[in-house]
Amino acid sequence: MRKIYSTLIFPLLLFFLFLSFPVPSFAKSYSIVSDKYVININPDKSADVVEYLTYNFDGSFSWAEMWIPTKVTRQGYMTDAKITDFNVQSINQKPVYLDQTKTENNRFYAKWSYTAYNEKRTFLIRYKIENAIKKYPEIAEFYWQIIGNEWKIPHQDVEILVRLPESAAAPEDLLVYGHGPLNGISEIVDLQTVRFKASSVSAGQFMEIRTIFPASFIFGEIDGNKTVQEIKKEEENFVRETIFAAGKEQIIMLVTKYWLVIQILTFIIWAVAWFFTWKKYGKEYDVGNLPKHVFDLPSLLPPAEVSILMGQDTDPNTNAFTATIFDLAQKGYIQIRDEVRLKSGFFRPKQEIKTFLIYTPESKKATSFELKKYENDLLLLLFGKMAHDAPEFMKDYILNIPEAEKETFRAITLEEIKSWLKKSENGLIFERWFKDWSKSVKKEFKSQNILDPVSLKAYKVFIVLSIVLAIITVNYYIGVATAFLIRYLKRWDKKWAGQAKLWEAFKRFLDDFDSFKTLPPESYKLWERYLVFGILFGNASKIIKMLPIVFANPATVPALWYVSTYDNGSVTNFQSTTDTFSTMVNSLNTVTSELRTASTSAAHYSSGGGGGFSGGGGGGGGGGGGGAG
């Protein structure tokens, strides 16, 4: 209850914070209607830049200028570059005169003259950026503000093509990120080329590009110890900053001092209405005293359907997708196999592990379960859509496959799943598939009527009234509070309330699983189910942490769906491969989570394989501004 009250009051407190922020103004005497770049990265850490800068002049103009910072420190990044070989010409052969170039006070400056009157003029600008690339032990980085925040006019139709010194071995070796305009996109064109686009860049806004590629492409000294993981973490933080900044900008646009009193009053009225609606229609039914922890599964519901029940009819997330894979394994439809090979190393042999998901519909256990449509759809995605391009490779690699079974053998590795998901064309395919899959799960479970119908009607009516009130009063905070609090107006139907509460108690048990000094007896026969729902609830690592204790007990039920084989054909038991299994579970969770992010390429964020821009960043070199007169 206290949490609900604090959530309700929080938007009201924020209301006063952004009222005094200024609204930016835009210059309109001339504009930049196109800005195209081709940047070639050189092995000596330099970059050759070719820019096609198109002005639209309204009136008479005779000169233009631009400046680029050469030595800057931003966001903890220090860039010490040098601009050389600068020249400019007009693509229509009209005279252009380079009047001045100079570098002083850590800034390169150029000015050129021409004549233009009520026309468009495209300038071809060339220059070299020395020391543009940062080299780290495993990766190299080109991090540069193509357009600085000192420009007083907006840029339209911006495109940057970056070519690397050589081709990467695989798309996974390249990462691309864009910062600044939220309409921007970044993409990997091929193994040697990446591209960044933005339909517009506002005056006073920077556009920054970031390209990560193998360090072997660049020779010279190491510039630091930055890793791929650190860069990905930075980009995740930039996404969070973007979300906050976007909300802040909306507040600036919507809130004015004139509406302050009206907005406060309407928000208070809305809050009171919400509270009484919740008290009458949203407060959960009393199901009596339940234990804090439940050790047995409350029902036989599959994980994807439990996700809908716990979320009160929300769509299943990617945890449900992963949990369903393991649920199908335990039903006998999938075997998870680790193939371990020893390869010669410099000092000693190295162990290489490949994890396979193998389709086993003819297993004795599988024939006792009837698949639901969404379960069959998932199998078709893995062993139909994803695996159809690589069966020959897998047949050759898998050990000990009887010759008679190879023709019908279907399997896929985790690496192949990752590779499939990272292809830009597959992101949208999966996005559509996942939406259809979620609908299929909900359709399967919809007939259960898990929500109280009176509560659901009040929930829908209150959403409509809140939206109308927020629009009429231009009250952003009613919208925010509605987004946070509306879910409390739904409650489970009486026949489902008890089971839902038991599932909550079961989740608490899994949340605390690694803190039990003595595991309950159910753990040794139900640990496989614990793992499935641990994946669903996001606490699989706690289950895995305790597996050595579980396996040490002779009463533990063995996992028939997991096997590990070696070059010599020997098979290891499940208990001896806990670390391998932990890595595999974490990898699959990471794959599905990253997939969900990467597949929403129309949003404003990039996962490194391409996508939209974030509003964060600001750590690259370059930048500056320019103008005309």
Side-chain angles (χ1 to χ4, degrees):
M1 196 58 190
R2 180 180 300 174
K3 181 179 179 181
I4 294 176
Y5 286 141
S6 61
T7 307
L8 178 63
I9 294 172
F10 180 67
L12 183 60
L13 296 178
L14 284 179
F15 179 82
F16 301 97
L17 183 61
F18 302 105
L19 294 180
S20 60
F21 281 83
V23 178
S25 59
F26 301 89
K28 297 181 180 179
S29 58
Y30 59 93
S31 63
I32 293 176
V33 295
S34 178
D35 199 1
K36 310 283 188 179
Y37 292 81
V38 177
I39 301 176
N40 290 296
I41 305 299
N42 301 314
D44 63 356
K45 296 186 179 181
S46 69
D48 295 320
V49 180
V50 178
E51 178 183 5
Y52 295 86
L53 180 62
T54 303
Y55 283 90
N56 186 23
F57 295 119
D58 183 11
S60 178
F61 290 83
S62 61
W63 59 266
E65 63 180 353
M66 66 187 308
W67 57 90
I68 304 172
T70 55
K71 186 174 183 179
V72 292
T73 300
R74 300 178 179 132
Q75 302 286 338
Y77 280 81
M78 199 279 282
T79 300
D80 189 2
K82 184 179 180 181
I83 306 299
T84 62
D85 303 331
F86 185 94
N87 67 78
V88 58
Q89 62 188 83
S90 179
I91 64 169
N92 60 6
Q93 304 303 316
K94 291 185 178 181
V96 176
Y97 306 99
L98 183 59
D99 299 328
Q100 184 181 18
T101 62
K102 63 179 180 179
T103 300
E104 59 183 24
N105 298 323
N106 297 321
R107 189 183 79 160
F108 171 81
Y109 175 83
K111 184 177 182 179
W112 61 94
S113 57
Y114 55 90
T115 58
Y117 179 76
N118 289 346
E119 64 181 291
K120 291 183 180 179
R121 178 69 68 86
T122 298
F123 298 104
L124 173 58
I125 304 168
R126 304 175 189 267
Y127 55 93
K128 180 186 288 289
I129 311 171
E130 296 182 2
N131 201 29
I133 311 302
K134 296 285 187 183
K135 182 179 180 181
Y136 306 120
E138 296 180 357
I139 57 173
E141 176 183 47
F142 178 52
Y143 196 6
W144 195 258
Q145 286 190 12
I146 290 295
I147 297 172
N149 60 7
E150 296 176 32
W151 280 92
K152 303 302 181 184
I153 58 172
H155 287 58
Q156 306 295 327
D157 190 21
V158 181
E159 180 176 346
I160 305 102
L161 202 67
V162 179
R163 295 195 179 107
L164 304 177
E166 57 186 271
S167 296
E172 299 90 281
D173 295 333
L174 304 178
L175 294 175
V176 289
Y177 300 99
H179 308 141
L182 297 186
N183 59 71
I185 60 171
S186 58
E187 60 181 343
I188 297 172
V189 179
D190 56 43
L191 296 178
Q192 194 174 359
T193 311
V194 300
R195 179 162 46 214
F196 306 83
K197 291 182 179 180
S199 59
S200 63
V201 181
S202 301
Q205 182 182 40
F206 65 78
M207 179 174 175
E208 186 173 68
I209 64 174
R210 193 176 197 179
T211 304
I212 312 300
F213 51 95
S216 59
F217 290 7
I218 303 298
F219 57 76
E221 297 180 353
I222 299 295
D223 298 307
N225 296 309
K226 187 74 69 173
T227 65
V228 169
Q229 289 73 24
E230 289 174 338
I231 289 174
K232 288 184 176 180
K233 186 66 176 179
E234 288 177 1
E235 294 297 328
E236 291 173 3
N237 291 334
F238 293 157
V239 169
R240 285 191 287 270
E241 292 171 6
T242 300
I243 295 171
F244 175 81
K248 177 178 172 181
E249 184 176 355
Q250 284 183 304
I251 294 171
I252 294 171
M253 295 174 62
L254 296 176
V255 178
T256 65
K257 294 181 180 180
Y258 178 77
W259 286 100
L260 178 61
V261 175
I262 295 177
Q263 288 179 327
I264 292 175
L265 290 176
T266 54
F267 184 84
I268 292 173
I269 293 171
W270 177 91
V272 171
W274 175 89
F275 176 78
F276 283 104
T277 304
W278 168 80
K279 191 173 183 181
K280 185 174 182 179
Y281 300 107
K283 190 176 181 181
E284 295 294 345
Y285 290 112
D286 185 7
V287 296
N289 294 324
L290 295 176
K292 179 181 178 182
H293 294 138
V294 171
F295 305 137
D296 205 346
L297 273 68
S299 71
L300 297 178
L301 281 179
E305 295 177 34
V306 171
S307 174
I308 296 174
L309 174 63
M310 298 288 282
Q312 293 189 320
D313 206 33
T314 57
D315 290 340
N317 58 20
T318 51
N319 284 353
F321 173 85
T322 309
T324 301
I325 291 176
F326 281 81
D327 187 48
L328 289 170
Q330 292 175 29
K331 289 178 178 178
Y333 282 92
I334 297 174
Q335 182 188 82
I336 298 174
R337 179 193 293 256
D338 277 336
E339 297 256 333
V340 184
R341 286 186 170 183
L342 295 179
K343 290 194 171 183
S344 59
F346 188 77
F347 293 104
R348 58 182 179 180
K350 295 181 179 180
Q351 185 172 272
E352 181 188 78
I353 300 175
K354 274 191 176 292
T355 300
F356 289 80
L357 275 64
I358 303 172
Y359 185 43
T360 56
E362 305 302 325
S363 71
K364 183 177 180 180
K365 192 173 184 180
T367 56
S368 64
F369 287 96
E370 183 177 351
L371 286 180
K372 298 185 178 184
K373 181 182 182 302
Y374 68 85
E375 293 173 320
N376 191 59
D377 288 344
L378 192 151
L379 291 172
L380 288 174
L381 174 72
L382 290 177
F383 302 108
K385 185 68 176 175
M386 291 186 182
H388 83 284
D389 288 332
E392 293 302 323
F393 163 78
M394 290 181 290
K395 288 179 189 176
D396 293 340
Y397 194 95
I398 292 276
L399 304 177
N400 307 317
I401 300 298
E403 195 66 34
E405 297 180 16
K406 285 191 175 183
E407 290 304 316
T408 59
F409 179 74
R410 281 189 282 178
I412 189 167
T413 69
L414 286 184
E415 289 303 317
E416 287 167 340
I417 293 175
K418 291 180 182 179
S419 177
W420 189 90
L421 296 176
K422 288 181 179 179
K423 291 181 180 179
S424 58
E425 65 270 21
N426 291 338
L428 292 177
I429 292 174
F430 182 85
E431 175 70 11
R432 289 192 293 267
W433 180 92
F434 190 85
K435 287 180 179 178
D436 291 341
W437 185 79
S438 298
K439 291 178 182 178
S440 182
V441 178
K442 293 187 74 172
K443 183 179 180 180
E444 181 75 34
F445 198 53
K446 195 71 173 179
S447 60
Q448 304 294 332
N449 296 320
I450 63 174
L451 297 180
D452 177 37
V454 177
S455 171
L456 186 59
K457 182 178 180 180
Y459 165 82
K460 293 178 179 178
V461 170
F462 200 87
I463 287 180
V464 174
L465 294 178
S466 296
I467 293 174
V468 171
L469 184 62
I471 293 175
I472 292 175
T473 61
V474 198
N475 197 319
Y476 171 82
Y477 286 97
I478 289 179
V480 172
T482 299
F484 275 104
L485 298 176
I486 195 65
R487 58 193 175 97
Y488 293 105
L489 297 186
K490 292 190 295 184
R491 66 183 172 196
W492 288 294
D493 191 78
K494 284 184 178 180
K495 65 183 179 184
W496 283 99
Q499 185 178 149
K501 290 296 182 182
L502 287 173
W503 277 108
E504 287 182 344
F506 180 68
K507 181 180 182 299
R508 283 194 296 271
F509 163 61
L510 297 184
D511 287 338
D512 300 335
F513 191 75
D514 61 349
S515 64
F516 282 89
K517 294 182 179 180
T518 302
L519 294 178
E522 291 87 347
S523 302
Y524 305 106
K525 64 178 181 178
L526 295 176
W527 68 267
E528 296 175 275
R529 304 307 294 160
Y530 289 178
L531 181 60
V532 168
F533 288 97
I535 294 171
L536 176 67
F537 299 142
N539 48 28
S541 60
K542 297 183 178 182
I543 313 300
I544 293 169
K545 179 180 177 181
M546 301 298 286
L547 287 184
I549 298 175
V550 173
F551 295 151
N553 192 304
T556 299
V557 176
L560 302 178
W561 45 273
Y562 176 83
V563 66
S564 181
T565 64
Y566 289 82
D567 281 331
N568 58 13
S570 62
V571 179
T572 181
N573 61 18
F574 186 84
Q575 288 88 331
S576 66
T577 55
T578 303
D579 291 340
T580 300
F581 187 67
S582 172
T583 302
M584 187 267 295
V585 172
N586 293 333
S587 295
L588 199 54
N589 268 321
T590 300
V591 167
T592 53
S593 296
E594 290 181 349
L595 163 81
R596 187 61 173 161
T597 301
S599 60
T600 54
S601 58
H604 300 320
Y605 317 113
S606 172
S607 64
F613 275 41
S614 72

